[in-house]
Amino acid sequence: MWQCPICEEKYESLCVCTRCGFDGSCDYETFATAFAVTGARSICALQKEWKKKQGPQTAQEWYQKAQKENDMASYAKAAELGYAPAQVQMGYYYFFGINAAKDHVQAANWYQRAAEQGNAKAQNDLGECYYYGQGVPQDLAKAVMWYCRAAEQGNAAAQYHLGRCYYKGRGVPRDHAQAAEWYQKAAEQGNAEAQYHLGCCYYKGRGVPGDYERAAEWFRKAAEQGHAMAQYDLANCFYYGQGVPRDHGEAARLLHKAAAQGIAAAQDRLGFCYSQGHGVPQDYAQAADWYQKAARQGYAMAQDHLGDCYYNGRGVSRDHVQAVNWYRKAAEQGSASAQYSLGCCCNKGTGVPQDYARAAEWYRKAAMRGYGKAQNDLGSCYYYGQGVPQDYTTAAELFRKAAMKGIAAAQNGLGDCYRKGQAVAQDYTQAAIWYRKAAEQGDKSAQESLSWCYRWGKGVAIDWKQAKSWADKAKERP
């Protein structure tokens, strides 16, 4: 029995191999020197040449060829032979439509085959398919099962995803402590999403004790990896001095990074920094530009701020119609500030036809959200019967709500109600108390009314000096 040393074909006796052509005579390894046979080549060289001609044989060889040549057909061959990393790659190709038409069903199928072999990445990716219902029916319990299998193998992405399930109570009962524990495991492996969400847990005190310093520390780790929301939240830490020394310059630097990645909240906050000169030179044009970027993404706060820019002509040409347009966009999203501003435009006929009823309607929407200025102005609508039937009782209730929030005009309005006995028992002492609160905030009408109280001894002892002092304040230019 003779076996060809090149292709391993077996024969009864030494002969010329019919498969690869090896005849033994060119094997210089059986001779004294390498030059004993002209043109001889080693068995090792011939073996390599033969294998190269034959191409890959094993799954690993097909996978190596695929990696070298970025060849989907070779990945497919390795995957069909049961090689899990190749199956994961096939899943990736089908999931994202790379080198093949996008097909989530095929992707999930390949992930399943690899996951069942214990491949942690495939288990995590299959969990994602079940979490979002991509390629398979949505099944949060199955998603958690596959995340668990991968997470227990130390897969950082799965640990983060499992933390997310516990945080939101999806597929498992909500448990912030468990969420923070899994976020921690993934974060310590450098997973930026987990680092950011662990920072959020510390910031809000969910699952762990509230700790701004620890929050800022994890935000920083994620931010350094380019995580946009971490950059934004770390910027807020620096802006307000939470967990780090207050530093508007550093806040603005981080906001620029997050804003450049399209985070609307960061664009809006950066616009505010430019409008106020916080950490950057004051520049209304830059402020309006950043507000515009965020507003076009539908960010309500930026739409409201951009409305203010157009209303006041800061950074853009004054245009009340444009102001109303942006206020309306924000108001329809539930922004109380924008609802109030839109109510003011309707009340004054600025940018829209004057309409007291529409004004009262927008004031009401904002007032229901607890917006103090809107409560006051809606109170005035009821007090004077503008856009709504006159109703002193409702007016007094609204004035009181706004007055308790420190709105000077409402404090003055409530003082009027007590002074005149409108919807409340006449009480000069209470009137003087509320007039004083408003007067000390610079409300001219309240200063005049408080002067009257001191002059005539209504709710306070007669005091001509105080009366004159408050009367003089009322005459001062604001």
Side-chain angles (χ1 to χ4, degrees):
M1 179 67 71
W2 177 75
Q3 185 176 31
C4 175
I6 306 303
C7 67
E8 300 181 346
E9 191 76 17
K10 293 181 180 180
Y11 297 92
E12 291 295 327
S13 60
L14 179 64
C15 63
V16 176
C17 180
T18 58
R19 187 179 180 202
C20 68
F22 179 69
D23 62 3
S25 63
C26 62
D27 180 8
Y28 69 75
E29 291 171 345
T30 64
F31 295 88
T33 71
F35 303 102
V37 179
T38 303
R41 300 168 68 189
S42 71
I43 287 176
C44 182
L46 291 170
Q47 286 174 335
K48 287 182 180 178
E49 185 176 306
W50 171 256
K51 286 184 178 181
K52 187 175 181 180
K53 287 180 181 179
Q54 298 308 300
Q57 299 298 308
T58 66
Q60 289 88 337
E61 288 172 349
W62 281 109
Y63 184 70
Q64 288 167 2
K65 180 178 185 294
Q67 285 187 309
K68 184 177 181 180
E69 300 174 8
N70 190 29
D71 175 38
M72 183 173 178
S74 296
Y75 277 123
K77 185 69 175 177
E80 290 292 356
L81 289 170
Y83 195 57
Q87 293 170 337
V88 174
Q89 190 65 33
M90 289 297 292
Y92 174 82
Y93 280 154
Y94 278 114
F95 193 90
F96 293 103
I98 299 172
N99 297 331
K102 185 180 287 189
D103 187 334
H104 288 164
V105 174
Q106 279 276 31
N109 177 55
W110 283 113
Y111 288 148
Q112 181 91 32
R113 291 169 71 172
E116 288 172 351
Q117 294 189 64
N119 184 285
K121 186 177 187 313
Q123 291 169 339
N124 172 68
D125 292 348
L126 184 58
E128 285 286 84
C129 289
Y130 277 111
Y131 189 88
Y132 291 107
Q134 294 173 311
V136 290
Q138 188 178 45
D139 189 326
L140 297 177
K142 283 188 177 180
V144 169
M145 179 191 76
W146 286 113
Y147 289 150
C148 278
R149 292 187 185 184
E152 286 166 359
Q153 292 191 67
N155 184 277
Q159 291 169 339
Y160 160 66
H161 290 143
L162 190 54
R164 177 186 64 188
C165 289
Y166 276 110
Y167 192 89
K168 296 181 177 181
R170 306 204 74 192
V172 288
R174 180 173 289 178
D175 187 332
H176 289 159
Q178 277 282 348
E181 186 176 324
W182 284 110
Y183 286 155
Q184 181 92 30
K185 290 179 187 291
E188 287 173 353
Q189 291 194 67
N191 184 284
E193 283 291 341
Q195 291 170 339
Y196 169 66
H197 284 88
L198 184 57
C200 291
C201 287
Y202 278 110
Y203 189 88
K204 297 173 183 176
R206 291 183 179 172
V208 289
D211 187 330
Y212 288 141
E213 286 187 21
R214 297 290 297 277
E217 180 184 327
W218 285 111
F219 287 153
R220 190 190 301 277
K221 290 179 186 292
E224 287 171 352
Q225 293 194 63
H227 192 287
M229 281 303 298
Q231 292 167 341
Y232 169 67
D233 282 352
L234 183 59
N236 281 332
C237 289
F238 276 107
Y239 191 89
Y240 295 108
Q242 295 175 320
V244 290
R246 178 175 289 185
D247 186 337
H248 286 168
E250 181 63 9
R253 186 187 72 81
L254 287 160
L255 287 171
H256 269 106
K257 287 181 177 291
Q261 293 194 64
I263 301 301
Q267 293 169 339
D268 176 66
R269 172 67 66 180
L270 187 56
F272 184 77
C273 287
Y274 274 110
S275 74
Q276 302 298 311
H278 291 172
V280 289
Q282 190 174 53
D283 187 329
Y284 292 128
Q286 279 278 10
D289 185 54
W290 283 111
Y291 288 149
Q292 187 105 29
K293 286 178 167 61
R296 285 175 177 168
Q297 291 194 64
Y299 192 69
M301 191 176 294
Q303 292 170 337
D304 183 28
H305 286 151
L306 187 57
D308 288 341
C309 290
Y310 277 110
Y311 191 91
N312 297 305
R314 286 189 172 176
V316 290
S317 299
R318 179 173 289 178
D319 186 332
H320 289 155
V321 174
Q322 275 281 23
V324 166
N325 176 53
W326 287 110
Y327 285 147
R328 191 180 303 279
K329 289 179 186 292
E332 287 171 351
Q333 291 194 67
S335 167
S337 174
Q339 290 168 342
Y340 170 69
S341 295
L342 191 54
C344 290
C345 290
C346 291
N347 188 59
K348 298 174 183 175
T350 306
V352 288
Q354 190 174 51
D355 187 331
Y356 291 135
R358 292 298 300 276
E361 184 182 320
W362 284 112
Y363 288 152
R364 188 185 308 282
K365 290 180 186 292
M368 289 175 68
R369 292 179 177 273
Y371 197 72
K373 289 181 179 179
Q375 290 170 334
N376 171 68
D377 284 17
L378 182 60
S380 293
C381 290
Y382 277 106
Y383 191 88
Y384 294 106
Q386 288 185 325
V388 290
Q390 190 174 50
D391 185 335
Y392 291 132
T393 300
T394 301
E397 289 174 359
L398 287 163
F399 284 151
R400 188 179 300 280
K401 287 181 180 180
M404 296 299 289
K405 292 182 172 73
I407 305 299
Q411 293 168 341
N412 178 64
L414 189 56
D416 284 344
C417 289
Y418 276 111
R419 176 181 169 182
K420 299 173 184 178
Q422 293 168 322
V424 291
Q426 189 176 51
D427 187 330
Y428 289 124
T429 301
Q430 279 292 327
I433 289 171
W434 286 109
Y435 284 148
R436 183 181 301 278
K437 289 180 185 292
E440 288 173 348
Q441 291 193 65
D443 186 282
K444 299 300 180 186
S445 178
Q447 290 168 344
E448 289 177 356
S449 294
L450 187 57
S451 172
W452 177 87
C453 289
Y454 275 111
R455 182 180 179 185
W456 299 103
K458 299 294 185 179
V460 290
I462 292 176
D463 188 328
W464 290 96
K465 185 176 180 181
Q466 282 280 5
K468 184 177 186 306
S469 173
W470 285 112
D472 289 344
K473 288 180 185 293
K475 293 174 184 175
E476 292 175 0
R477 295 185 64 181

